[in-house]
Amino acid sequence: MVKLFIDPGHGGTDPGAVGNSLQEKNLTLQIAAAMQEILIEEYENIEIRLSRSGDETLSLSARTNAANRWDADYFVSIHINSGGGTGFESFIHSSAGRSTATYQDYLHEDILKESNFTNRGQKAANFHVLRETTMPAILTENGFIDTAADANKLKDSSFIEKLARGHVNGIARAFQLKRKQTIPNPSTLYKVQIGAFKERANAESLATEAKAKGLDSIVKQEDNLYKVQIGAFSSRENAEQLAEEAKNKGFNVYIS
Ligand SMILES: [Zn+2]
């Protein structure tokens, strides 16, 4: 079993970089949630934890402590750049070992391939999350939020999906993950949702409420709406079971 720790950068009172009416903390969470969904649906023997699955404020040491305590096999920190450049770059720690460098080769190559971003290079740095993790770690900077061309890409949910897919492909190569024999077609998944909003903030607050009541929830952007999803299943029965649980907790539920 491969234990993957995904760290969506920033969150809560720390929006990260902002620009072009985007906030880094929301984009990093979208990419992380999409990675989690793809990995669970398509690959065997992978266990995933996220440092945060909602809009929470977390210190850097809370993130690295959680990964270290869990004894993760790999730590992937997702970020969006700013400062007026363009394209993709990735970082490992300056004193990282060989396997960390090899994993960086795979992720870097696959993310560029999926996203078509300009290559800004594979770099090394002394960042907290790279230094204080006891397992191989990478930090990815996925485009520039304050550069219109990059920001326009990041506004498109299918581009977020491509970035997620690039990360997943690299991780699958690094850890020789086996694909599931039967991959459910995403369009035939039964998605259990409890709300759809024009404003992201409304979706976030419902997601937070759901989590407080013990439901896993993610916010997904679809058809210009922010949807709060609490689960996705290939079996209708499982979807209905979760829907029932959410109804009992006072939510309006629909399965799509
Ligand atoms: Zn950042």
Side-chain angles (χ1 to χ4, degrees), residues 10 24 79-80:
H10 312 280
E24 180 180 1
H79 288 259
I80 310 295

Side-chain angles (χ1 to χ4, degrees), residues 11-236:
T13 56
D14 167 22
V18 294
N20 293 295
S21 66
L22 290 171
Q23 293 190 313
E24 180 180 1
K25 66 174 183 179
N26 296 329
L27 297 169
T28 59
L29 185 58
Q30 285 170 26
I31 296 167
M35 284 170 65
Q36 183 181 32
E37 195 168 311
I38 296 168
L39 281 162
I40 287 174
E41 279 165 16
E42 299 183 10
Y43 290 91
E44 287 178 353
N45 291 324
I46 179 133
E47 214 181 325
I48 298 164
R49 282 201 192 166
L50 269 60
S51 57
R52 63 181 180 94
S53 53
D55 189 18
E56 295 149 46
T57 307
L58 273 182
S59 68
L60 294 177
S61 46
R63 297 165 199 259
T64 51
N65 288 344
N68 292 345
R69 261 198 314 270
W70 186 43
D71 197 20
D73 295 305
Y74 196 35
F75 184 99
V76 181
S77 192
I78 315 282
H79 288 259
I80 310 295
N81 232 325
S82 70
T86 184
F88 175 82
E89 62 195 14
S90 66
F91 293 87
I92 58 174
H93 192 256
S94 340
S95 66
R98 215 178 123 202
S99 58
T100 303
T102 303
Y103 299 165
Q104 183 186 27
D105 290 345
Y106 293 154
L107 269 81
H108 195 94
E109 184 179 60
D110 286 339
I111 293 163
L112 285 178
K113 197 169 153 194
E114 289 295 320
S115 67
N116 265 319
F117 260 144
T118 307
N119 185 5
R120 300 176 59 84
Q122 297 181 220
K123 301 178 179 179
N126 186 27
F127 297 150
H128 175 101
V129 294
L130 302 177
R131 186 182 63 242
E132 300 299 327
T133 36
T134 54
M135 69 290 306
I138 190 170
L139 184 147
T140 62
E141 292 278 5
N142 301 271
F144 282 70
I145 208 163
D146 54 352
T147 296
D150 286 9
N152 284 338
K153 290 179 183 168
L154 292 165
K155 283 176 185 170
D156 178 357
S157 59
S158 67
F159 187 75
I160 295 290
E161 196 73 20
K162 284 180 185 165
L163 286 171
R165 177 69 63 182
H167 283 75
V168 166
N169 290 350
I171 291 163
R173 265 212 285 168
F175 292 91
Q176 294 163 5
L177 294 180
K178 269 180 65 183
R179 293 181 74 86
K180 284 185 178 167
Q181 291 297 327
T182 50
I183 297 163
N185 178 341
S187 65
T188 66
L189 277 181
Y190 298 102
K191 295 173 184 141
V192 187
Q193 295 173 332
I194 56 172
F197 302 90
K198 282 226 153 30
E199 298 291 328
R200 167 171 277 278
N202 294 334
E204 295 282 0
S205 88
L206 182 63
T208 305
E209 191 192 327
K211 280 207 299 180
K213 293 185 179 171
L215 297 168
D216 249 345
S217 61
I218 56 168
V219 174
K220 295 180 62 176
Q221 195 180 3
E222 269 174 14
D223 317 320
N224 290 321
L225 287 173
Y226 293 102
K227 298 183 177 174
V228 183
Q229 183 172 312
I230 57 171
F233 302 90
S234 48
S235 129
R236 169 124 210 147

